[in-house]
Amino acid sequence: MARLARRPGEPRPSTGPRSWWRAGSWWRGGSWPRIGNSSVAGQVFLFQAVIVLLLVAAAATAVVLQAHRDSQQEATNRSLAVAGTFANSPGIAAALRSPDPTAILQPRAEAARKLSGVDFVVVTNTRGIRYTHPNPARIGQHFVGELKPAQEGHAFTARNTGTLGPAVYAVVPVFGPDRKVVGLVSAGITIAKVSTAVEQQLPVLLGAAAGGLLLTTAGTVYMNRRLRRQTHGLGPAEMTRMYEHHDAVLHAVREGVLIVGGDSRLLLVNDEAALLLGLPPDSEGRYVSDLGLAPETARLLTSEQVADDEVVNSGERQLVVNRRPTDRAGGPAGWVTTLRDSTELRALSGRAERARGRLALLYEASTQIGTTLDVTRTAEELAQVAVPRFADFVSVDLAEPVLSGREPGPAAREALRRIAVHGVADDSPLYRVGVAFSLVPFSPQSESLARGEPVLTTDLRSSHNWSRHDPERGELLLEYGFHSFITVPLLARGVMLGMVNFWRAPRPDPFEPDDLSLAGELAGRAAVCVDNARRYTHEHTMAVVLQHSLLPARLPEQSALDLAYRYLPAESSVGGDWFDVLALPGARVALVVGDVVGHGVHAAATMGRLRTAVANFSALDLPPEELLGHLDELVSRIDEEEEGAEGAGEDGAARPSEGRTAVTGATCVYAVYDPASGLCTVARAGHPPPALVHPDGSTEFLDLPAGLPLGIGGLPYETTEFTLPEGSRLVLYTDGLIENRAWDIDVGFEHLRAALSGSAGQDPETTCEAVLHALVPDRPSDDIAVLVARVRRLDADRIAEWTVPHDPAAVAAVRAEVSRRLADWGLAEAAFTTELVLSELITNAIRYASGPIGVRLLRDRTLICEVSDTSATSPHLRAAAATDEGGRGLFLVAQFADRWGTRYTAHGKVIWTETALPRGGG
């Protein structure tokens, strides 16, 4: 209870209440105990009476609801029992089939109704026409109510409201001897007949309520007397002592309390308020305007407005003010004001706010710096995070080797390049991005790099070392308004990468020593991200170099296909996509496109091994399915090697397998095109199918077995043959072209089809550009390889074929035909060598093989001779002894031909040779 005001000049008594309080309208002498006690007793009585009435009402409601439920249940049970009993009584079914069912059933139904106490028992036929009713006038009329469930053979109950009030009725089907429904029996009863529980329990309930009210009244009277005795037992001394205790508490609290009357006089002020406002000792009873307070404070104390934690200045103090009127409960006009000194709290709060701001800045730095593995982007993110909350301008400078992924040496630390600049304005005279410069000794920047610590320069005008490397630029910075900066080295894992400078120009307050820790934290986090990006750049560069070194440097010369290709590495890392074009014997060309699972140097190295293997296997002229089978075994061996390397320690002992890299996998598609026949044989191992663009521009994806990816094993691969029209384009690609996070792979196929369709007459180069433009995003997440081949056919006049009988005498005739054909081609100079080679090959076929023998000459970039037979025996070159009669045929062939070899077909083998065309014979 607050201490009350005294008249001006009146000394503060040590005992006794304040005179203004005794005269106040909110304290009326001895009437307060009586009124207060009576009010408390009345409220207690009212509260108890309400509780009793609520309990009685709740009990009555529960009884009524329970009785209502019981009545409904009893009515349901009784009506269902009567209807069921009557429907199943003997003779009912027979009576329903009689000529006059009413004559038989009406007396029985009335007897059952009166005996059971229900209101009606009605028998109807299956259509609901009444045969019985308590009112005979209604016999023959349709039953009013639901009958369908009973007509379907199910008894049921329902409720309705009739002329007698709410009722429950049941309908039970009557079954004939064949279990068909022949009639219906309905019995009903009103709920009023069975609801008597409420009337029996209400007197008891009302008696309990009356008893509760009597007990409540008696208790209230007793409590009222006790309160009167307790209140009237207090004497003046005890009351005065109570008031003095309140007065002592009022002046002991650390919160100022003032009461200002309606006439703007200060009625009460405690010691804390007098201290906070600097009031004189005789301030109570004086007008607020006469106390010498600050205008803002005086205006607030005399205003008619409520204040909630409003801050005002009183000298060097900041006071939190709260004001409330005193006449809310019928008291005298005036205002109660409390004051609280918040000067120290404000200062502490300011420091806490700055600390929270710095923590928030560091948190943002941890999430916004290093979002990519790009050195330049990381430097830009550092500059953007620090502006404007910490610095007005930020510049980031890195050593030149860092930009290419290399680790800078001691000599490279002084030569820096500006990578990022960001500030509150774009017209600052700071070095622009891309400018290279060198630091001079004894400057803050070089000192920071040498010490590996942040260096603060609070006043640029008084310090001249910071601009020694470029004095003219320093003058421009001073003219612009730069006045302080912090330079921090970018040091990560013991490597000095560069430095970052935090500048202040527009804001007047310079950097302080406390800011060094925040600057160091920002630079430290950014340095780790820059070093990660540098390491990634180094690895990415190595992978790209390795990747390009393993891809074809140039395509082989051949006449079967017009070719174009594109290889695009992923933005984030290099993968294992690859392609190759291989010239095969017989003017044929092999196309291969593959994809190694994974990214980085490991994937690129695996890709190189596979490409080399494909080149070696193709030199053996293996069919596509066999070549993929050998690749599958090779990938399995690579996996086993990696697992062994992962599971063995330096001493050769086995290591746990946790953390080892994923097993290598790869996909591949291999196609061989023969320009002489236009036949293309294709096999694939888990790779997307090639697309074929017909000469008219229509596009289809070749339907061939998918096969398992390389390295899984278990199933053989299958080859499918297609005849390609001349001028059509075969498009081989990797999954990076059609797979995208924005669509399903089926959508990717449709996009590729749309990019290829309608491109009739395009050359392979244009087709590559169109496909990449339509499907490749700005930043591909996977490698992409595309190989487009437009097929050609060898002219018929460049091909000559003969079938040789299995007779040595036929060799001479073939040699003559070959000579004539070479003469027609203008290759008479090659006739002798060609006849010799063919003679040896045909003779060997006649001697060692069976069945028909085929001879084919192809005039391409070289002269190609092919001899086919049905034998699968492979000839071998050997050195014959001087006494041997044979064994020199293949030796002669190898000597006269530039290249020779054997390839196997489904029906045997083909031995081929290639010789250079005479000059001018191409």
Side-chain angles (χ1 to χ4, degrees), residues 593-595 624 628-629 631-632 666-670 682-688 704-711 717-718:
V593 171
D595 184 4
L628 292 182
L631 283 183
D632 181 65
T667 64
C668 181
V669 60
Y670 185 82
V682 188
R684 62 175 177 143
H687 201 83
L704 62 156
L708 295 175
L710 302 176
Y717 297 99
E718 300 180 43

Side-chain angles (χ1 to χ4, degrees), residues 840-907:
E840 293 295 336
L841 294 179
I842 295 173
T843 302
N844 284 340
I846 294 174
R847 178 179 299 179
Y848 298 108
S850 60
I853 300 172
V855 176
R856 185 170 73 166
L857 287 182
L858 301 176
R859 183 168 66 92
D860 192 35
R861 294 178 179 272
T862 60
L863 181 62
I864 303 170
C865 302
E866 296 180 346
V867 177
S868 61
D869 57 56
T870 58
S871 173
T873 304
S874 176
H876 296 283
L877 180 66
R878 65 186 181 89
T883 58
D884 290 344
E885 295 182 1
R888 298 176 178 83
L890 284 181
F891 180 78
L892 291 175
V893 170
Q895 293 297 314
F896 284 100
D898 297 331
R899 296 172 60 208
W900 75 279
T902 304
R903 73 173 182 271
Y904 295 93
T905 65
H907 307 289

Side-chain angles (χ1 to χ4, degrees), residues 105-193:
L105 296 175
Q106 175 69 6
R108 297 178 63 179
E110 285 301 299
R113 179 182 65 80
K114 295 174 181 179
L115 181 62
S116 61
V118 298
D119 290 318
F120 66 88
V121 175
V122 175
V123 181
T124 70
N125 61 9
T126 56
R127 298 189 304 276
I129 305 301
R130 297 190 184 100
Y131 289 150
T132 68
H133 196 276
N135 185 0
R138 297 187 180 182
I139 295 176
Q141 298 180 2
H142 197 279
F143 181 84
V144 179
E146 178 68 20
L147 294 177
K148 186 175 180 180
Q151 292 170 345
E152 296 175 354
H154 306 289
F156 73 98
T157 62
R159 295 182 178 88
N160 67 351
T161 301
T163 58
L164 299 178
V168 176
Y169 69 94
V171 183
V172 179
V174 179
F175 297 94
D178 54 354
R179 297 303 298 168
K180 291 185 177 180
V181 178
V182 297
L184 308 174
V185 177
S186 175
I189 186 173
T190 58
I191 297 176
K193 277 191 175 184

Side-chain angles (χ1 to χ4, degrees), residues 326-360:
T326 59
D327 57 358
R328 288 185 173 182
W335 290 83
V336 177
T337 304
T338 61
L339 307 173
R340 185 173 66 253
D341 189 1
S342 64
T343 306
E344 296 181 359
L345 181 62
R346 288 278 176 174
L348 181 61
S349 175
R351 291 193 294 270
E353 186 66 26
R354 286 194 297 272
R356 283 194 298 269
R358 293 188 174 188
L359 289 176

Side-chain angles (χ1 to χ4, degrees), residues 637-903:
R637 287 198 301 270
I638 294 175
D639 293 344
E640 293 174 359
E641 293 173 2
E642 292 179 353
E643 292 178 1
E646 292 285 345
E650 295 180 359
D651 55 356
R655 288 190 311 191
S657 60
E658 289 84 4
R660 67 181 178 85
T661 57
V663 175
T664 302
T667 64
C668 181
V669 60
Y670 185 82
V672 177
Y673 175 68
D674 186 355
S677 62
L679 195 65
C680 181
T681 57
V682 188
R684 62 175 177 143
H687 201 83
L692 178 63
V693 184
H694 292 275
D696 61 356
S698 61
T699 302
E700 65 172 316
F701 293 98
L702 298 183
D703 184 14
L704 62 156
L708 295 175
L710 302 176
I712 296 180
L715 292 175
Y717 297 99
E718 300 180 43
T719 296
T720 306
E721 294 184 347
F722 302 91
T723 300
L724 304 184
E726 186 172 7
S728 60
R729 283 161 289 164
L730 191 64
V731 181
L732 285 72
Y733 52 91
T734 56
D735 57 1
L737 182 67
I738 57 175
E739 289 184 351
N740 193 304
R741 295 178 181 176
W743 58 61
D744 295 334
I745 190 169
D746 293 337
V747 178
F749 279 118
E750 291 304 318
H751 286 334
L752 178 58
R753 186 195 303 272
L756 294 173
S757 298
S759 58
Q762 281 187 353
D763 58 9
E765 286 290 340
T766 305
T767 302
C768 277
E769 291 297 331
V771 168
L772 295 181
H773 177 74
L775 278 83
V776 178
D778 294 335
R779 297 182 176 182
S781 58
D782 194 8
D783 288 15
I784 297 173
V786 180
L787 181 61
V788 179
R790 183 170 58 188
V791 301
R792 298 178 181 174
R793 288 283 189 91
L794 284 180
D795 296 336
D797 60 356
R798 289 175 172 262
I799 304 173
E801 295 181 300
W802 299 273
T803 299
V804 182
H806 204 271
D807 183 3
V811 176
V814 174
R815 292 179 61 178
E817 290 290 336
V818 169
S819 296
R820 284 194 294 270
R821 179 53 60 92
L822 291 177
D824 294 341
W825 287 348
L827 302 177
E829 298 180 10
F832 174 76
T833 302
T834 304
E835 290 179 10
L836 178 62
V837 169
L838 285 177
S839 296
E840 293 295 336
L841 294 179
I842 295 173
T843 302
N844 284 340
I846 294 174
R847 178 179 299 179
Y848 298 108
S850 60
I853 300 172
V855 176
R856 185 170 73 166
L857 287 182
L858 301 176
R859 183 168 66 92
D860 192 35
R861 294 178 179 272
T862 60
L863 181 62
I864 303 170
C865 302
E866 296 180 346
V867 177
S868 61
D869 57 56
T870 58
S871 173
T873 304
S874 176
H876 296 283
L877 180 66
R878 65 186 181 89
T883 58
D884 290 344
E885 295 182 1
R888 298 176 178 83
L890 284 181
F891 180 78
L892 291 175
V893 170
Q895 293 297 314
F896 284 100
D898 297 331
R899 296 172 60 208
W900 75 279
T902 304
R903 73 173 182 271

Side-chain angles (χ1 to χ4, degrees), residues 21 26-42 223-236 239 242-243:
W21 194 329
W26 33 326
W27 181 269
R28 298 302 183 187
S31 65
W32 166 255
R34 181 178 62 80
I35 295 174
N37 292 332
S38 298
S39 298
V40 172
M223 293 180 61
N224 187 25
R225 290 180 179 179
R226 290 291 303 269
L227 289 172
R228 286 178 179 275
R229 285 197 301 268
Q230 291 177 1
T231 304
H232 294 164
L234 290 177
M239 294 295 293
M242 180 181 63
Y243 295 144

